[in-house]
Amino acid sequence: AMLKNPVLVESLIVFTMVLCVHAVVWDQLSWCAVALAIQAFYVQHKWDRLLKSGGAVFQYRPGANSGLITASMAMPLAGIVMKERCEAVGNVYFERFGLTVAATGMVLALFMALIALGITRPVPTQTSVLSGIAGCGIIYTLKNTLTVSEVIEVMEVLLIFVYLSLVLLYLLPRCFSPGEALLVLGGISLATNQLIKASLAAVDRKGEPVYCLLLVAIVGLLLLGIFFAAFFRFVESETWIASLFFHMMTAVLGLGVIMPWFLRIIWRNPILWLLRFLFQTWTRIYLLCYWTVLVTIACGVVLHQNFKRSSSEEESSKKYKASTVVRKYFHFLVLATYVPGLIYDRELLYVAAVLCLAVFVLLEYMRYFRIKPLGQMLRHLLTLFLDDRDCGPLILTHIYLLLGLSLPLWLFPGPCTLKGPLPGTVALAPYAGVLAVGVGDTVASVFGSNLGEIHWPGTKKTFEGTVSAIFAQIIAVALILICDSSISLNASYIWILGSIVLVSLLEAYTSQIDNLILPLYLHILLMV
């Protein structure tokens, strides 16, 4: 009976991961992480009850559980492993940053628990007492661990998170589950706070352009989206005048606000820096040409599928939808994009992923607001590839795919690694997205839908799909070892195998967006 409850099995898998991390890294935050996992497990059921009864404050994504324990543990564990990694090489700045990220993740998770308990009727006494004890223990430990400035930083992120939740969950109903909202909005809040911090520090010193580009892009796109959402509440967005206004204001905000902001932080012309950066070496030029070819192929696949839809719908009245195998073409194309970038030039891939994210989000704004001339066409083209989980007004599947592959690269603390070949599993951490989503999820989906017969209890996922995903990821690790000379695993094969098995089981049981969740957890396990 227990195995037939996917929420319970998902919670057990996440709890196993928490214990695995803390079996290696045991410090003052470990008790906090375990206490947070236990209280999130209890609060998750309250969220699930709210979602089923329709008692939640906002409209969340239907067909998914709250996913609170899965989301609650991601940011604290990422911060803890970063802190441990940076402490090992003596990088005090990033060690303290890792500690702040862990503390921020715990406080945001406690806040979400407080919301759930506050709106559950009748008030769940036992869960409230448990959450109170866990919360007091976590806050007491953080008080004795963090400095005053770090506590202020955590509170700033919480404040930004509260405002963003009120704005974005109201504007975008049914787009996120509570857990996904915690992860996505928590990440945006942390990035916003880091950009404010970098802007204030820019008076004394230059910011790192590559790192700051990501922060500026996230905050710039967020401001742009909120501005247009507010404006198009009162003005019709499907006219040519609205289209002209959209493009003009995007240019004005980009060149008049975001660009000068970036210039102030890095102390140099952003456009000249970017051009110099992109064409610095022949390797970068070759990679950019190769990626251009892949983008052309991707556009060709979309247009070909659209042509098939037109002819199919003419012949029969049935609505044509791209098959799972066709949708996994894009996983293969993204894999072909990321692997050479990770092997030959990670810095270029980092910047290219940020620029690609900006393009994806701008195109989604055009589709969402039906901005002429591309809006209606994008709406028509992208409905072909709609995932079951795209229930709200936004289509986020392709953005989640990009984020899943990029997050391990963006989160990898380069300054906290030793020079020369990286020892142990940490060398594989930037490949977490490639392994979990590009290889594992793709193979599980293709094999599971075509050959799978034995279903995991309580889910649509199959045993054959999960086993084939594990084998495919092991083969991928072997190929990465052959191709990337900077990796030296030092006999940590059992840990890699265990990490891959746990993440593949999580893929089978989670109802959250696996493109986002799986790379984060594989990255955390490989960073230990």
Side-chain angles (χ1 to χ4, degrees), residues 75-117:
M75 199 188 286
L77 289 180
I80 287 166
V81 293
M82 184 191 285
K83 171 191 159 291
E84 195 65 23
R85 183 59 51 194
C86 296
E87 194 177 9
V89 296
N91 189 323
V92 178
Y93 176 81
F94 273 94
E95 183 194 330
R96 298 307 300 180
F97 177 63
L99 195 61
T100 310
V101 170
T104 303
M106 288 178 187
V107 169
L108 295 184
L110 286 173
F111 174 76
M112 286 292 277
L114 197 67
I115 294 287
L117 296 173

mmCIF file of all heavy atoms in Angstrom, residues 75-117:
data_model
loop_
_atom_site.group_PDB
_atom_site.id
_atom_site.type_symbol
_atom_site.label_atom_id
_atom_site.label_comp_id
_atom_site.label_asym_id
_atom_site.label_seq_id
_atom_site.Cartn_x
_atom_site.Cartn_y
_atom_site.Cartn_z
ATOM 1 N N MET A 75 17.331 24.023 -2.473
ATOM 2 C CA MET A 75 18.205 25.174 -2.225
ATOM 3 C C MET A 75 19.082 24.993 -0.976
ATOM 4 O O MET A 75 20.292 25.265 -1.036
ATOM 5 C CB MET A 75 17.376 26.471 -2.126
ATOM 6 C CG MET A 75 18.242 27.720 -2.328
ATOM 7 S SD MET A 75 17.384 29.283 -2.004
ATOM 8 C CE MET A 75 16.348 29.415 -3.433
ATOM 9 N N PRO A 76 18.528 24.509 0.159
ATOM 10 C CA PRO A 76 19.416 24.281 1.317
ATOM 11 C C PRO A 76 20.553 23.300 1.027
ATOM 12 O O PRO A 76 21.703 23.552 1.397
ATOM 13 C CB PRO A 76 18.463 23.708 2.375
ATOM 14 C CG PRO A 76 17.123 24.217 2.015
ATOM 15 C CD PRO A 76 17.114 24.286 0.525
ATOM 16 N N LEU A 77 20.252 22.188 0.334
ATOM 17 C CA LEU A 77 21.310 21.199 0.031
ATOM 18 C C LEU A 77 22.344 21.774 -0.929
ATOM 19 O O LEU A 77 23.548 21.533 -0.768
ATOM 20 C CB LEU A 77 20.696 19.926 -0.559
ATOM 21 C CG LEU A 77 19.889 19.033 0.399
ATOM 22 C CD1 LEU A 77 19.359 17.817 -0.335
ATOM 23 C CD2 LEU A 77 20.720 18.584 1.596
ATOM 24 N N ALA A 78 21.880 22.547 -1.935
ATOM 25 C CA ALA A 78 22.826 23.175 -2.884
ATOM 26 C C ALA A 78 23.772 24.115 -2.137
ATOM 27 O O ALA A 78 24.983 24.136 -2.406
ATOM 28 C CB ALA A 78 22.058 23.927 -3.974
ATOM 29 N N GLY A 79 23.224 24.892 -1.192
ATOM 30 C CA GLY A 79 24.062 25.810 -0.399
ATOM 31 C C GLY A 79 25.051 25.065 0.486
ATOM 32 O O GLY A 79 26.218 25.445 0.592
ATOM 33 N N ILE A 80 24.579 23.965 1.105
ATOM 34 C CA ILE A 80 25.442 23.188 2.017
ATOM 35 C C ILE A 80 26.612 22.555 1.258
ATOM 36 O O ILE A 80 27.759 22.612 1.719
ATOM 37 C CB ILE A 80 24.610 22.109 2.761
ATOM 38 C CG1 ILE A 80 23.727 22.781 3.825
ATOM 39 C CG2 ILE A 80 25.499 21.061 3.417
ATOM 40 C CD1 ILE A 80 22.642 21.905 4.399
ATOM 41 N N VAL A 81 26.339 21.966 0.076
ATOM 42 C CA VAL A 81 27.447 21.323 -0.664
ATOM 43 C C VAL A 81 28.414 22.374 -1.222
ATOM 44 O O VAL A 81 29.623 22.133 -1.297
ATOM 45 C CB VAL A 81 26.947 20.368 -1.783
ATOM 46 C CG1 VAL A 81 26.236 19.170 -1.205
ATOM 47 C CG2 VAL A 81 26.078 21.066 -2.815
ATOM 48 N N MET A 82 27.879 23.561 -1.592
ATOM 49 C CA MET A 82 28.768 24.643 -2.057
ATOM 50 C C MET A 82 29.665 25.111 -0.915
ATOM 51 O O MET A 82 30.878 25.300 -1.103
ATOM 52 C CB MET A 82 27.946 25.826 -2.579
ATOM 53 C CG MET A 82 28.818 26.942 -3.159
ATOM 54 S SD MET A 82 27.927 28.465 -3.483
ATOM 55 C CE MET A 82 27.028 28.032 -4.946
ATOM 56 N N LYS A 83 29.074 25.278 0.261
ATOM 57 C CA LYS A 83 29.844 25.700 1.444
ATOM 58 C C LYS A 83 30.965 24.698 1.741
ATOM 59 O O LYS A 83 32.118 25.069 1.969
ATOM 60 C CB LYS A 83 28.892 25.801 2.636
ATOM 61 C CG LYS A 83 29.576 26.015 3.974
ATOM 62 C CD LYS A 83 28.584 25.834 5.104
ATOM 63 C CE LYS A 83 29.270 25.543 6.415
ATOM 64 N NZ LYS A 83 29.913 24.236 6.507
ATOM 65 N N GLU A 84 30.610 23.403 1.697
ATOM 66 C CA GLU A 84 31.591 22.351 2.003
ATOM 67 C C GLU A 84 32.719 22.331 0.978
ATOM 68 O O GLU A 84 33.887 22.216 1.317
ATOM 69 C CB GLU A 84 30.852 20.999 2.020
ATOM 70 C CG GLU A 84 31.635 19.874 2.668
ATOM 71 C CD GLU A 84 31.878 20.099 4.148
ATOM 72 O OE1 GLU A 84 31.119 20.856 4.787
ATOM 73 O OE2 GLU A 84 32.848 19.524 4.671
ATOM 74 N N ARG A 85 32.365 22.467 -0.303
ATOM 75 C CA ARG A 85 33.346 22.432 -1.390
ATOM 76 C C ARG A 85 34.316 23.605 -1.280
ATOM 77 O O ARG A 85 35.513 23.474 -1.473
ATOM 78 C CB ARG A 85 32.583 22.452 -2.730
ATOM 79 C CG ARG A 85 33.419 22.357 -3.973
ATOM 80 C CD ARG A 85 34.253 21.125 -4.080
ATOM 81 N NE ARG A 85 33.539 19.887 -3.877
ATOM 82 C CZ ARG A 85 34.129 18.724 -3.660
ATOM 83 N NH1 ARG A 85 35.441 18.649 -3.588
ATOM 84 N NH2 ARG A 85 33.426 17.623 -3.488
ATOM 85 N N CYS A 86 33.753 24.804 -0.950
ATOM 86 C CA CYS A 86 34.585 26.014 -0.876
ATOM 87 C C CYS A 86 35.437 26.027 0.397
ATOM 88 O O CYS A 86 36.543 26.571 0.404
ATOM 89 C CB CYS A 86 33.714 27.265 -0.951
ATOM 90 S SG CYS A 86 32.859 27.397 -2.528
ATOM 91 N N GLU A 87 34.915 25.426 1.460
ATOM 92 C CA GLU A 87 35.674 25.321 2.712
ATOM 93 C C GLU A 87 36.901 24.436 2.501
ATOM 94 O O GLU A 87 37.979 24.709 3.037
ATOM 95 C CB GLU A 87 34.766 24.719 3.792
ATOM 96 C CG GLU A 87 35.320 24.862 5.199
ATOM 97 C CD GLU A 87 34.342 24.318 6.250
ATOM 98 O OE1 GLU A 87 33.329 23.692 5.886
ATOM 99 O OE2 GLU A 87 34.620 24.521 7.433
ATOM 100 N N ALA A 88 36.746 23.382 1.676
ATOM 101 C CA ALA A 88 37.851 22.443 1.419
ATOM 102 C C ALA A 88 39.031 23.108 0.722
ATOM 103 O O ALA A 88 40.173 22.711 0.910
ATOM 104 C CB ALA A 88 37.341 21.263 0.580
ATOM 105 N N VAL A 89 38.745 24.143 -0.110
ATOM 106 C CA VAL A 89 39.852 24.812 -0.829
ATOM 107 C C VAL A 89 40.193 26.168 -0.203
ATOM 108 O O VAL A 89 41.033 26.904 -0.720
ATOM 109 C CB VAL A 89 39.526 24.991 -2.338
ATOM 110 C CG1 VAL A 89 39.381 23.658 -3.012
ATOM 111 C CG2 VAL A 89 38.302 25.856 -2.560
ATOM 112 N N GLY A 90 39.504 26.520 0.898
ATOM 113 C CA GLY A 90 39.843 27.747 1.627
ATOM 114 C C GLY A 90 39.314 29.026 1.004
ATOM 115 O O GLY A 90 39.859 30.107 1.243
ATOM 116 N N ASN A 91 38.239 28.949 0.202
ATOM 117 C CA ASN A 91 37.635 30.160 -0.368
ATOM 118 C C ASN A 91 36.544 30.651 0.585
ATOM 119 O O ASN A 91 35.406 30.195 0.550
ATOM 120 C CB ASN A 91 37.049 29.855 -1.757
ATOM 121 C CG ASN A 91 36.601 31.109 -2.482
ATOM 122 O OD1 ASN A 91 36.077 32.039 -1.886
ATOM 123 N ND2 ASN A 91 36.813 31.140 -3.786
ATOM 124 N N VAL A 92 36.906 31.606 1.433
ATOM 125 C CA VAL A 92 36.018 32.046 2.516
ATOM 126 C C VAL A 92 34.778 32.754 1.968
ATOM 127 O O VAL A 92 33.663 32.544 2.459
ATOM 128 C CB VAL A 92 36.769 32.978 3.507
ATOM 129 C CG1 VAL A 92 35.835 33.474 4.607
ATOM 130 C CG2 VAL A 92 37.946 32.238 4.111
ATOM 131 N N TYR A 93 34.941 33.598 0.927
ATOM 132 C CA TYR A 93 33.808 34.370 0.385
ATOM 133 C C TYR A 93 32.694 33.436 -0.084
ATOM 134 O O TYR A 93 31.531 33.578 0.280
ATOM 135 C CB TYR A 93 34.268 35.265 -0.769
ATOM 136 C CG TYR A 93 33.118 35.996 -1.422
ATOM 137 C CD1 TYR A 93 32.591 37.158 -0.854
ATOM 138 C CD2 TYR A 93 32.530 35.513 -2.594
ATOM 139 C CE1 TYR A 93 31.519 37.820 -1.428
ATOM 140 C CE2 TYR A 93 31.453 36.163 -3.187
ATOM 141 C CZ TYR A 93 30.959 37.318 -2.594
ATOM 142 O OH TYR A 93 29.879 37.961 -3.171
ATOM 143 N N PHE A 94 33.040 32.429 -0.918
ATOM 144 C CA PHE A 94 32.034 31.515 -1.456
ATOM 145 C C PHE A 94 31.525 30.537 -0.393
ATOM 146 O O PHE A 94 30.404 30.050 -0.481
ATOM 147 C CB PHE A 94 32.574 30.770 -2.678
ATOM 148 C CG PHE A 94 32.363 31.538 -3.955
ATOM 149 C CD1 PHE A 94 33.357 32.357 -4.454
ATOM 150 C CD2 PHE A 94 31.162 31.463 -4.635
ATOM 151 C CE1 PHE A 94 33.164 33.087 -5.621
ATOM 152 C CE2 PHE A 94 30.953 32.185 -5.799
ATOM 153 C CZ PHE A 94 31.952 33.003 -6.297
ATOM 154 N N GLU A 95 32.366 30.277 0.613
ATOM 155 C CA GLU A 95 31.917 29.424 1.729
ATOM 156 C C GLU A 95 30.768 30.112 2.465
ATOM 157 O O GLU A 95 29.739 29.500 2.745
ATOM 158 C CB GLU A 95 33.087 29.183 2.684
ATOM 159 C CG GLU A 95 32.760 28.259 3.835
ATOM 160 C CD GLU A 95 33.824 28.315 4.933
ATOM 161 O OE1 GLU A 95 35.002 28.579 4.617
ATOM 162 O OE2 GLU A 95 33.459 28.097 6.095
ATOM 163 N N ARG A 96 30.948 31.421 2.736
ATOM 164 C CA ARG A 96 29.893 32.191 3.418
ATOM 165 C C ARG A 96 28.676 32.349 2.515
ATOM 166 O O ARG A 96 27.535 32.336 2.979
ATOM 167 C CB ARG A 96 30.402 33.588 3.831
ATOM 168 C CG ARG A 96 31.551 33.618 4.806
ATOM 169 C CD ARG A 96 31.326 32.832 6.063
ATOM 170 N NE ARG A 96 30.195 33.262 6.865
ATOM 171 C CZ ARG A 96 29.831 32.695 8.009
ATOM 172 N NH1 ARG A 96 30.513 31.666 8.479
ATOM 173 N NH2 ARG A 96 28.788 33.130 8.681
ATOM 174 N N PHE A 97 28.906 32.474 1.200
ATOM 175 C CA PHE A 97 27.790 32.591 0.250
ATOM 176 C C PHE A 97 26.968 31.304 0.239
ATOM 177 O O PHE A 97 25.730 31.341 0.238
ATOM 178 C CB PHE A 97 28.320 32.906 -1.154
ATOM 179 C CG PHE A 97 27.232 32.973 -2.200
ATOM 180 C CD1 PHE A 97 26.235 33.933 -2.124
ATOM 181 C CD2 PHE A 97 27.195 32.066 -3.254
ATOM 182 C CE1 PHE A 97 25.212 33.998 -3.080
ATOM 183 C CE2 PHE A 97 26.186 32.116 -4.207
ATOM 184 C CZ PHE A 97 25.193 33.083 -4.124
ATOM 185 N N GLY A 98 27.661 30.156 0.258
ATOM 186 C CA GLY A 98 26.973 28.859 0.320
ATOM 187 C C GLY A 98 26.114 28.748 1.571
ATOM 188 O O GLY A 98 24.973 28.264 1.529
ATOM 189 N N LEU A 99 26.667 29.220 2.682
ATOM 190 C CA LEU A 99 25.941 29.210 3.967
ATOM 191 C C LEU A 99 24.676 30.078 3.874
ATOM 192 O O LEU A 99 23.598 29.688 4.340
ATOM 193 C CB LEU A 99 26.870 29.752 5.060
ATOM 194 C CG LEU A 99 26.474 29.526 6.517
ATOM 195 C CD1 LEU A 99 26.380 28.055 6.835
ATOM 196 C CD2 LEU A 99 27.489 30.201 7.430
ATOM 197 N N THR A 100 24.815 31.247 3.242
ATOM 198 C CA THR A 100 23.680 32.169 3.073
ATOM 199 C C THR A 100 22.604 31.551 2.181
ATOM 200 O O THR A 100 21.406 31.683 2.455
ATOM 201 C CB THR A 100 24.157 33.511 2.466
ATOM 202 O OG1 THR A 100 25.269 33.991 3.217
ATOM 203 C CG2 THR A 100 23.070 34.556 2.481
ATOM 204 N N VAL A 101 23.026 30.872 1.091
ATOM 205 C CA VAL A 101 22.065 30.210 0.192
ATOM 206 C C VAL A 101 21.297 29.129 0.948
ATOM 207 O O VAL A 101 20.064 29.026 0.830
ATOM 208 C CB VAL A 101 22.790 29.606 -1.040
ATOM 209 C CG1 VAL A 101 21.858 28.718 -1.851
ATOM 210 C CG2 VAL A 101 23.354 30.708 -1.920
ATOM 211 N N ALA A 102 22.020 28.320 1.752
ATOM 212 C CA ALA A 102 21.372 27.259 2.543
ATOM 213 C C ALA A 102 20.358 27.859 3.517
ATOM 214 O O ALA A 102 19.219 27.375 3.629
ATOM 215 C CB ALA A 102 22.426 26.450 3.294
ATOM 216 N N ALA A 103 20.774 28.932 4.212
ATOM 217 C CA ALA A 103 19.888 29.591 5.191
ATOM 218 C C ALA A 103 18.656 30.174 4.491
ATOM 219 O O ALA A 103 17.533 30.045 4.982
ATOM 220 C CB ALA A 103 20.650 30.697 5.912
ATOM 221 N N THR A 104 18.878 30.792 3.318
ATOM 222 C CA THR A 104 17.775 31.392 2.549
ATOM 223 C C THR A 104 16.768 30.316 2.150
ATOM 224 O O THR A 104 15.552 30.492 2.305
ATOM 225 C CB THR A 104 18.317 32.089 1.283
ATOM 226 O OG1 THR A 104 19.283 33.060 1.679
ATOM 227 C CG2 THR A 104 17.207 32.755 0.500
ATOM 228 N N GLY A 105 17.278 29.178 1.642
ATOM 229 C CA GLY A 105 16.404 28.073 1.236
ATOM 230 C C GLY A 105 15.554 27.584 2.391
ATOM 231 O O GLY A 105 14.353 27.305 2.237
ATOM 232 N N MET A 106 16.172 27.474 3.590
ATOM 233 C CA MET A 106 15.434 26.990 4.764
ATOM 234 C C MET A 106 14.350 27.983 5.193
ATOM 235 O O MET A 106 13.218 27.592 5.502
ATOM 236 C CB MET A 106 16.409 26.752 5.921
ATOM 237 C CG MET A 106 17.285 25.544 5.696
ATOM 238 S SD MET A 106 18.464 25.304 7.043
ATOM 239 C CE MET A 106 19.462 23.972 6.389
ATOM 240 N N VAL A 107 14.684 29.265 5.175
ATOM 241 C CA VAL A 107 13.716 30.295 5.602
ATOM 242 C C VAL A 107 12.542 30.366 4.617
ATOM 243 O O VAL A 107 11.388 30.482 5.040
ATOM 244 C CB VAL A 107 14.418 31.668 5.748
ATOM 245 C CG1 VAL A 107 13.417 32.793 5.933
ATOM 246 C CG2 VAL A 107 15.385 31.639 6.921
ATOM 247 N N LEU A 108 12.817 30.275 3.307
ATOM 248 C CA LEU A 108 11.740 30.295 2.307
ATOM 249 C C LEU A 108 10.821 29.073 2.468
ATOM 250 O O LEU A 108 9.600 29.187 2.366
ATOM 251 C CB LEU A 108 12.303 30.330 0.881
ATOM 252 C CG LEU A 108 13.099 31.569 0.464
ATOM 253 C CD1 LEU A 108 13.496 31.476 -1.006
ATOM 254 C CD2 LEU A 108 12.304 32.848 0.699
ATOM 255 N N ALA A 109 11.428 27.904 2.733
ATOM 256 C CA ALA A 109 10.636 26.679 2.933
ATOM 257 C C ALA A 109 9.767 26.795 4.188
ATOM 258 O O ALA A 109 8.601 26.379 4.186
ATOM 259 C CB ALA A 109 11.565 25.475 3.033
ATOM 260 N N LEU A 110 10.326 27.367 5.260
ATOM 261 C CA LEU A 110 9.547 27.575 6.492
ATOM 262 C C LEU A 110 8.392 28.538 6.250
ATOM 263 O O LEU A 110 7.295 28.369 6.780
ATOM 264 C CB LEU A 110 10.451 28.117 7.609
ATOM 265 C CG LEU A 110 11.426 27.123 8.251
ATOM 266 C CD1 LEU A 110 12.368 27.842 9.206
ATOM 267 C CD2 LEU A 110 10.675 26.015 8.998
ATOM 268 N N PHE A 111 8.644 29.567 5.421
ATOM 269 C CA PHE A 111 7.596 30.543 5.101
ATOM 270 C C PHE A 111 6.441 29.862 4.357
ATOM 271 O O PHE A 111 5.272 30.094 4.645
ATOM 272 C CB PHE A 111 8.182 31.681 4.259
ATOM 273 C CG PHE A 111 7.149 32.655 3.764
ATOM 274 C CD1 PHE A 111 6.596 33.594 4.621
ATOM 275 C CD2 PHE A 111 6.721 32.626 2.445
ATOM 276 C CE1 PHE A 111 5.624 34.484 4.170
ATOM 277 C CE2 PHE A 111 5.765 33.511 1.974
ATOM 278 C CZ PHE A 111 5.211 34.440 2.841
ATOM 279 N N MET A 112 6.792 28.991 3.375
ATOM 280 C CA MET A 112 5.760 28.262 2.623
ATOM 281 C C MET A 112 4.955 27.348 3.554
ATOM 282 O O MET A 112 3.740 27.211 3.419
ATOM 283 C CB MET A 112 6.403 27.423 1.511
ATOM 284 C CG MET A 112 6.900 28.225 0.333
ATOM 285 S SD MET A 112 5.600 28.978 -0.645
ATOM 286 C CE MET A 112 5.120 27.627 -1.713
ATOM 287 N N ALA A 113 5.647 26.714 4.518
ATOM 288 C CA ALA A 113 4.963 25.854 5.488
ATOM 289 C C ALA A 113 3.986 26.670 6.332
ATOM 290 O O ALA A 113 2.862 26.240 6.608
ATOM 291 C CB ALA A 113 5.992 25.173 6.383
ATOM 292 N N LEU A 114 4.417 27.865 6.722
ATOM 293 C CA LEU A 114 3.580 28.765 7.532
ATOM 294 C C LEU A 114 2.317 29.153 6.772
ATOM 295 O O LEU A 114 1.213 29.171 7.332
ATOM 296 C CB LEU A 114 4.397 30.025 7.876
ATOM 297 C CG LEU A 114 3.892 30.908 9.010
ATOM 298 C CD1 LEU A 114 3.993 30.179 10.329
ATOM 299 C CD2 LEU A 114 4.683 32.203 9.057
ATOM 300 N N ILE A 115 2.454 29.430 5.469
ATOM 301 C CA ILE A 115 1.300 29.782 4.621
ATOM 302 C C ILE A 115 0.304 28.617 4.609
ATOM 303 O O ILE A 115 -0.901 28.803 4.794
ATOM 304 C CB ILE A 115 1.773 30.072 3.167
ATOM 305 C CG1 ILE A 115 2.642 31.330 3.106
ATOM 306 C CG2 ILE A 115 0.588 30.184 2.203
ATOM 307 C CD1 ILE A 115 1.912 32.622 3.274
ATOM 308 N N ALA A 116 0.833 27.394 4.350
ATOM 309 C CA ALA A 116 -0.043 26.212 4.260
ATOM 310 C C ALA A 116 -0.799 25.981 5.559
ATOM 311 O O ALA A 116 -2.002 25.723 5.553
ATOM 312 C CB ALA A 116 0.780 24.981 3.904
ATOM 313 N N LEU A 117 -0.080 26.075 6.687
ATOM 314 C CA LEU A 117 -0.712 25.815 7.993
ATOM 315 C C LEU A 117 -1.703 26.914 8.350
ATOM 316 O O LEU A 117 -2.714 26.674 8.999
ATOM 317 C CB LEU A 117 0.358 25.682 9.079
ATOM 318 C CG LEU A 117 1.316 24.490 8.898
ATOM 319 C CD1 LEU A 117 2.435 24.545 9.915
ATOM 320 C CD2 LEU A 117 0.570 23.167 9.007
#
